[in-house]
Amino acid sequence: MVQLRILEILEEQKHTKYWLFKQMDLSYQNFNKMITNQTKSIRFENLDKLSSILNCSIGDLFEKTDDDN
């Protein structure tokens, strides 16, 4: 399964979820589902925005896990 690793990146960069939430311009419900991997899809524009805000490549936002849930 492929998952977003946004929380790990935030921790590495010493930023908070609130800091990212304020910059993303999403509802809190959608934002929280996205960063906790509780969504089945993500818009390309949100990936682009995350990449820019976190100053990382889009590929850095993902990790492959053995978990199928």
Side-chain angles (χ1 to χ4, degrees), residues 4-48:
L4 288 168
R5 52 182 299 273
I6 298 168
L7 293 176
E8 292 173 34
I9 295 171
L10 286 173
E11 187 175 320
E12 290 168 5
Q13 296 182 2
K14 304 202 183 317
H15 292 300
T16 64
K17 289 190 302 186
Y18 182 76
W19 172 84
L20 182 58
F21 167 68
K22 292 305 260 180
Q23 296 186 56
M24 286 297 296
D25 193 32
L26 295 172
S27 71
Y28 184 76
Q29 182 178 1
N30 288 339
F31 171 78
N32 195 52
K33 283 182 179 181
M34 180 179 63
I35 66 167
T36 58
N37 289 295
Q38 296 177 355
T39 186
K40 298 286 182 189
S41 63
I42 184 169
R43 301 179 97 181
F44 286 129
E45 65 188 56
N46 288 335
L47 289 174
D48 186 47

